[in-house]
Amino acid sequence: MSNRVLIAPSILAADFARLADEIAAVERGGADLLHIDVMDGHFVPNITVGPPIVESLKKVTKLPLDVHLMITNADAFITEFVSAGADYVTVHVEACPHLHRTVQLIKERGAKAGVTLNPATPVSLLQEILPEVDLVLIMSVNPGFGGQKFIPSALQKIAAIREMLDRLHSPALLEVDGGVKVDNAAQVLAAGADVLVAGSAIFSSRDYAGTIAALRAAGQPASSTMAHAALHR
Ligand code: DX5
Ligand code: ZN
C-alpha cells in the first residue's frame, strides 16, 4: 500500500449549471485534485467539455486540474489544454500511436504527463513509457460515462503497476477511475493506488466533505480509523 491518499472528484457527476459552487464545495471538503473528463464522441460514446471550460474553471479553484483526455487526436489539443490551465494531462494508450511523443509534448508544454488504459488493455503496454510519466491512471470502468460499476479485474492491474513503479523507484501517482465508492476504496488503496477519482460517489452524496473524508479514511488500517472515529465522537 502507498502511504498517500489523494481524492480527485470528477466533475462529470456535478451539476453543470452550478459548476463553480460544486467545485468550491469539494475544495472546502478536502479534495486534492479536480478530475475533468474530456470526451469527444469518437474515442468514447459521449461528449463533454473542452479547453474553454478548463480555462474558466482554472479561475475559480486553486485545486490542480487533472484533465483526462478521452479523445482520438490528443496531440492536436495538448497545447490548448495546458494553456487553459491543465496541471496533469492524461492520455489513453489506445488513442496515442506515438505515445512517447505525446508524453514528451505534454511535458514540454509544462504540464505533468499521465497515461491510462481501458479495462481490457494489458498493463504491459506501459512498460516502456513508465519511466517518463508523472501519473498512471487505471480505468476501472469502460470510459464514457459516470455512475458505472467497478470492474474487479482492475485490482490486479493496480497491483501490477504499483510493483512496476516501485521497481523503478518512480514517484508517479497511481490513480484509479470508475465506480470507486466508499465501500470499495479500501481494496483499491490496498492494491496500491494513491489517487481515487470519484464522481457519483461524491456528487450524489449529501455531504461531499464527509464522503471525501470516508474515501480517504479507507486507506487507514481499521484500528486507526476506529480510533479516529472514537476521538471525534
Ligand atoms: C468515465 C470517467 C470517470 C467518471 C467516474 O469515463 O473517466 O472519471 O466520471 O465517475 P464515477 O465515479 O461515477 O464512476
Ligand atoms: Zn476520468
Side-chain angles (χ1 to χ4, degrees):
M1 188 183 309
S2 156
N3 47 18
R4 53 189 167 182
V5 178
L6 304 176
I7 308 296
S10 162
I11 62 162
L12 193 57
D15 179 350
F16 273 82
R18 300 176 39 253
L19 211 39
D21 294 345
E22 293 273 73
I23 290 167
V26 291
E27 189 164 359
R28 275 197 313 273
D32 301 290
L33 298 160
L34 195 67
H35 187 82
I36 303 175
D37 288 305
V38 176
M39 306 186 187
D40 67 350
H42 293 275
F43 180 64
V44 289
N46 196 2
I47 300 176
T48 56
V49 303
I53 303 281
V54 173
E55 196 176 348
S56 298
L57 296 186
K58 192 71 183 174
K59 296 178 190 146
V60 300
T61 182
K62 289 198 171 62
L63 292 175
L65 303 183
D66 170 30
V67 176
H68 176 192
L69 297 184
M70 288 160 273
I71 65 177
T72 44
N73 52 346
D75 289 13
F77 291 95
I78 283 165
T79 303
E80 242 186 298
F81 276 107
V82 177
S83 318
D87 295 278
Y88 286 85
V89 177
T90 297
V91 295
H92 271 265
V93 170
E94 302 86 357
C96 296
H98 308 289
L99 186 60
H100 186 274
R101 176 184 289 151
T102 306
V103 163
Q104 299 313 319
L105 180 61
I106 296 169
K107 295 200 287 189
E108 273 162 27
R109 291 295 176 265
K112 298 218 156 78
V115 289
T116 182
L117 297 165
N118 284 337
T121 306
V123 294
S124 56
L125 286 191
L126 294 184
Q127 184 79 48
E128 314 302 327
I129 200 69
L130 274 193
E132 309 290 328
V133 304
D134 302 294
L135 180 147
V136 179
L137 173 61
I138 298 293
M139 289 305 301
S140 40
V141 297
N142 289 292
F145 303 94
Q148 304 181 79
K149 207 168 163 307
F150 185 88
I151 298 172
S153 58
L155 291 171
Q156 284 104 63
K157 294 173 77 179
I158 298 163
I161 293 284
R162 175 85 272 154
E163 223 182 284
M164 289 156 85
L165 290 173
D166 287 352
R167 214 176 303 135
L168 291 167
H169 304 290
S170 165
L173 293 173
L174 177 46
E175 181 176 51
V176 179
D177 184 11
V180 175
K181 310 278 176 199
V182 171
D183 62 11
N184 61 14
Q187 275 179 296
V188 173
L189 293 167
D194 305 300
V195 189
L196 302 179
V197 175
S200 47
I202 293 173
F203 288 106
S204 302
S205 71
R206 276 163 178 266
D207 171 10
Y208 297 174
T211 306
I212 291 168
L215 288 166
R216 200 189 306 282
Q220 291 162 7
S223 55
S224 75
T225 312
M226 276 155 60
H228 187 263
L231 263 179
H232 291 84
R233 238 196 307 266

